[in-house]
Amino acid sequence: MPRAQVPVTGRSWAPGSLWPMCGIIGVTGSDDPLRFVLDGLALLEYRGYDSAGVVLVATAGEAEGLSGTGALWRRRSAVRGESIPALERFAGTDLVPGARTGIGHTRWATHGAPTEGNAHPHLDCTGRVAVVHNGIIENHRHLAAKLVAAGHVLRSETDTEVVAHLVEAEVTAGASLLEAVQRCVSEIRGDFGLVLASADEPEVLVATRQTSPLIVGRTSSLGLVASDISALLETTRELYALGDGEIAELRPGVIRVVDRAGTRVEPTRLRVGWGVRAAQREGFEDFMSKEIHEQPRALTDTILGRIHADGTTELEELGIKEIELAAISRVIVIACGSSYHAGLTGRVAIEAWAKLACTVEIASEFRYRNPIIEPGTLVLAISQSGETVDTFHALREAKRRGALTVVLTNVVDSLMTREADGVLYTRAGPEIGVASTKCHTAQILLLQVFALHLASLRRSLSTDEIAELAALVVAVPARVGDVVARFDEYRHTAEQLAFVDDVFFLGRGGGYAVALEGALKLKELAYVRAEGYPAGEMKHGPISLIDRDAVVVVVANRGSLSAKLLANVEEVRARGATVVALCDTDDPEVAGLADIVLEVPHTDETVAAAVLVVPLQVLAYGVARARGNDVDRPRNLAKVVTVE
Ligand code: AGP
């Protein structure tokens, strides 16, 4: 078990099951469900703050201004970061007298802009079924088409709303909420945590999940559910992890769990050893280590429904016609910092797979260089935040010069998405730590999916070659999971380097961008001078800096340039440097050359970057922590850089 692990035991609660997006809360049996839900949302807000919403279930006839036929009261707000305070104005107003049940949601948008109309809870056509959701419903388009053909009216752009309508059909036919969910859930593909309320059963909530976690709990008078434990800890320690595919019916003081066949299941009790603040970090010491651990999940979500092991890619969301994309003749990537490094990795795939000329430019330089944009140029801006002012202006300049533009970002509806012709979203969930970790690896993987998409449109590779590469891409989240599991081991290694002053990071080919990213992480977190360099370039000058005090980290995974890289390692060793090798497990040759080894399970070099960068994140993390630095808020830096 890694050191920073969650001190809760119980089924389904492991780092691999962390789900970064959206907060869910629900209660039944409360005298003031709105207060309860709003307090819970405030604790969950770190999971997403694009919008928030609540539904209270009134006993028919007891409330004013109800939606639909009258028993669900819904309020939503989509003022980024301010939605929960906006909902506070309804608290204490007794607008829904008699309501004892409520659900709430704080959203991190994935499907549909962060508008009020897309904010959860979503309702069915009759306004009698409400749903909140965390995750991605992969087959939502297919389900929506079926529902519309059957006469349903869908009002939002979300993947979630289909669930309310599927359940509506069953409830209208006489099913209880539990039976309705049981019947519908097998139609839904993807990852989800769902909580539903129905006007017909004012003291019942139904919750179910697939991959993304849900915790249920009770007191003698309450039934409780939340997407994570932090929202429930102040109310009860009687908490249970809902298992994959299980369905919980909550009533005041009572939890009943069944599987999809309706067979009663005994839920697993969680043993909880910590308080609310730690719970927001899910027990991790800081957001950075939490976000490092979230990477397998973030990568899985990022490629969900977009690439399949047979080589098919689906990127309709991009919003650019395939014919236009197939016709591009050149790609210019613009970005800053870690996003720039992701761009360098993306270039390798764009050139090798899509066979397109690709350059990667520092955004703050591009704009002022009078760049040449020929017809057929695609300018691809990469920005985690979508708000970095250097990248934004470079994007605007490229557009002014006639480029087709795409932004690859993690933040729905951010500034750049409104500027670009097309958008690709990573689905890493909110990244709180200033140092980019999960967003960086998600960018890399999405760029590789995009490169394969271009390759298939341009027919630059055979179908077999595309399928082979797609299988490698699809396997990356699991490989990343393998390295994340070695977090403690890498951190321990980092502690041996706690007091270094000067570090070179060397790589060749695909390893070069990894070296740059490793150096940036060490600089920004540990405040150590660190330089990322192409290994072959050392002999053209920088090698004069190498002596017995130098520390050289080499990205030395097995690959086509291994022999050349090892020759460069010999060169720095001969001058007395301490060599830290990031290499494949069981590579005695590299291990024999190194003083310190960071082992990674072998990953094909074409897709290895996202895997290799993880130990270097942990290396920087470990050195920074050993020096007593605040890893979530390193000095002089901001998460979003809105100045030139
Ligand atoms: C990464 O760890 C840094 N904090 C920084 O380099 C960052 O990648 C850069 O500022 C770009 O930000 P963006 O991706 O939001 O545009």
Side-chain angles (χ1 to χ4, degrees):
M1 196 79 139
R3 179 202 312 257
Q5 215 31 272
V6 189
V8 172
T9 58
R11 183 183 52 187
S12 313
W13 197 268
S17 73
L18 289 172
W19 186 275
M21 298 176 198
C22 302
I24 289 178
I25 178 87
V27 66
T28 181
S30 169
D31 293 337
D32 191 351
L34 183 57
R35 182 69 272 142
F36 185 91
V37 166
L38 290 174
D39 288 347
L41 289 181
L43 290 165
L44 294 170
E45 198 187 11
Y46 77 95
R47 293 183 151 246
Y49 33 79
D50 289 325
S51 64
V54 296
V55 153
L56 300 187
V57 190
T59 310
E62 281 183 331
E64 296 285 332
L66 297 174
S67 61
T69 53
L72 295 185
W73 178 91
R74 175 173 69 164
R75 291 295 180 274
R76 299 178 291 174
S77 168
V79 187
R80 186 173 285 150
E82 294 296 325
S83 297
I84 299 170
L87 295 171
E88 277 290 346
R89 74 194 150 97
F90 301 110
T93 53
D94 214 17
L95 278 170
V96 197
R100 287 162 54 77
T101 302
I103 55 176
H105 187 270
T106 178
R107 180 170 185 239
W108 189 81
T110 60
H111 290 66
T115 58
E116 197 173 313
N118 288 331
H120 301 217
H122 290 285
L123 304 182
D124 67 323
C125 297
T126 67
R128 300 185 68 76
V129 175
V131 62
V132 288
H133 166 222
N134 175 24
I136 294 163
I137 294 175
E138 215 181 331
N139 59 337
H140 68 101
R141 282 196 197 91
H142 165 75
L143 294 173
K146 248 176 68 175
L147 287 161
V148 168
H152 291 260
V153 179
L154 275 68
R155 297 179 189 85
S156 75
E157 304 159 331
T158 64
D159 54 333
T160 305
E161 193 187 337
V162 291
V163 178
H165 295 270
L166 289 173
V167 169
E168 172 196 348
E170 298 295 338
V171 168
T172 311
S176 70
L177 189 58
L178 177 69
E179 289 163 347
V181 172
Q182 214 178 306
R183 285 177 205 162
C184 296
V185 78
S186 52
E187 286 196 59
I188 306 169
R189 274 209 336 260
D191 293 340
F192 48 84
L194 295 164
V195 179
L196 293 104
S198 161
D200 295 331
E201 293 172 86
E203 296 216 341
V204 171
L205 289 176
V206 171
T208 188
R209 63 169 284 249
Q210 175 79 36
T211 315
S212 47
L214 277 180
I215 304 298
V216 293
R218 63 175 286 282
T219 67
S220 56
S221 58
L222 300 176
L224 302 154
V225 59
S227 53
D228 75 61
I229 208 165
S230 59
L232 301 180
L233 272 181
E234 273 187 354
T235 309
T236 187
R237 299 279 159 136
E238 191 178 335
L239 296 163
Y240 303 86
L242 197 60
D244 247 357
E246 290 173 1
I247 307 169
E249 185 189 61
L250 306 168
R251 295 172 183 269
V254 181
I255 300 171
R256 187 172 151 232
V257 180
V258 296
D259 63 18
R260 286 184 183 175
T263 311
R264 192 78 186 255
V265 173
E266 215 38 66
T268 306
R269 176 97 185 247
L270 296 172
R271 287 201 300 275
V272 184
W274 30 251
V276 178
R277 279 191 66 76
Q280 283 182 291
R281 288 181 269 103
E282 317 252 12
F284 289 96
E285 292 171 63
D286 36 59
F287 280 105
M288 184 178 175
S289 56
K290 174 173 178 274
E291 287 160 5
I292 288 174
H293 281 87
E294 282 173 346
Q295 289 180 106
R297 184 75 260 158
L299 300 189
T300 303
D301 296 342
T302 292
I303 61 173
L304 189 72
R306 290 170 163 168
I307 187 164
H308 308 282
D310 64 358
T312 42
T313 49
E314 291 175 45
L315 291 178
E316 308 164 20
E317 69 201 81
L318 187 56
I320 295 181
K321 291 200 187 84
E322 293 198 338
I323 191 160
E324 246 185 299
L325 270 185
I328 60 173
S329 53
R330 182 184 171 207
V331 179
I332 301 177
V333 175
I334 49 173
C336 303
S338 294
S339 297
Y340 171 77
H341 300 153
L344 291 175
T345 299
R347 173 174 71 186
V348 178
I350 290 170
E351 287 179 345
W353 304 348
K355 316 273 194 245
L356 275 167
C358 179
T359 48
V360 188
E361 305 264 3
I362 300 269
S364 55
E365 291 294 319
F366 175 82
R367 177 188 174 196
Y368 296 107
R369 229 194 36 233
N370 213 356
I372 309 293
I373 304 284
E374 295 151 338
T377 303
L378 171 74
V379 169
L380 174 60
I382 307 175
S383 173
Q384 175 278 131
S385 60
E387 309 272 334
T388 300
V389 82
D390 290 320
T391 314
F392 174 74
H393 285 303
L395 174 68
R396 186 169 263 187
E397 181 62 17
K399 211 175 163 193
R400 197 181 68 76
R401 288 171 182 258
L404 179 68
T405 54
V406 169
V407 63
L408 189 152
T409 182
N410 196 45
V411 180
V412 171
D413 224 20
S414 51
L415 197 61
M416 287 181 223
T417 65
R418 287 173 253 144
E419 192 72 18
D421 300 307
V423 182
L424 282 172
Y425 287 115
T426 46
R427 298 178 190 139
E431 193 175 66
I432 313 281
V434 163
S436 189
T437 51
K438 60 178 181 171
C439 285
H440 174 69
T441 47
Q443 287 168 345
I444 291 175
L445 206 61
L446 186 52
L447 283 165
Q448 289 170 339
V449 172
F450 184 53
L452 270 187
H453 188 64
L454 291 174
S456 71
L457 291 177
R458 292 166 54 77
R459 300 182 201 282
S460 52
L461 294 176
S462 70
T463 322
D464 286 351
E465 286 169 321
I466 291 178
E468 214 171 291
L469 287 166
L472 292 175
V473 169
V474 168
V476 168
R479 293 286 79 71
V480 168
D482 295 339
V483 279
V484 163
R486 301 177 84 142
F487 182 93
D488 270 3
E489 176 191 322
Y490 300 141
R491 183 175 179 179
H492 181 66
T493 304
E495 282 158 4
Q496 298 172 48
L497 296 167
F499 298 103
V500 292
D501 287 328
D502 250 308
V503 184
F504 270 100
F505 285 77
L506 304 182
R508 289 188 89 123
Y512 171 48
V514 176
L516 288 176
E517 179 62 6
L520 177 63
K521 285 284 153 287
L522 195 65
K523 277 186 268 219
E524 70 177 331
L525 294 164
Y527 319 143
V528 169
R529 269 185 301 275
E531 200 165 349
Y533 228 76
E537 190 66 9
M538 284 294 281
K539 56 188 174 295
H540 298 290
I543 201 162
S544 61
L545 292 170
I546 300 295
D547 60 17
R548 298 186 67 77
D549 294 332
V551 175
V552 178
V553 179
V554 284
V555 182
N557 57 311
R558 268 198 207 98
S560 49
L561 296 174
S562 291
K564 296 201 187 306
L565 182 89
L566 291 192
N568 302 136
V569 175
E570 295 281 15
E571 287 156 16
V572 294
R573 247 173 73 86
R575 284 153 183 90
T578 300
V579 174
V580 181
L582 177 60
C583 62
D584 289 357
T585 316
D586 300 327
D587 187 339
E589 197 183 352
V590 178
L593 289 177
D595 300 287
I596 295 173
V597 172
L598 293 167
E599 286 188 342
V600 286
H602 177 73
T603 306
D604 191 280
E605 64 177 323
T606 45
V607 295
V611 179
L612 293 167
V613 88
V614 175
L616 300 188
Q617 294 168 347
V618 183
L619 191 74
Y621 173 88
V623 174
R625 288 294 308 240
R627 290 176 164 228
N629 298 353
D630 180 344
V631 289
D632 288 339
R633 277 163 304 197
R635 71 184 182 202
N636 306 339
L637 295 175
K639 184 70 185 160
V640 185
V641 184
T642 51
V643 288
E644 278 202 73

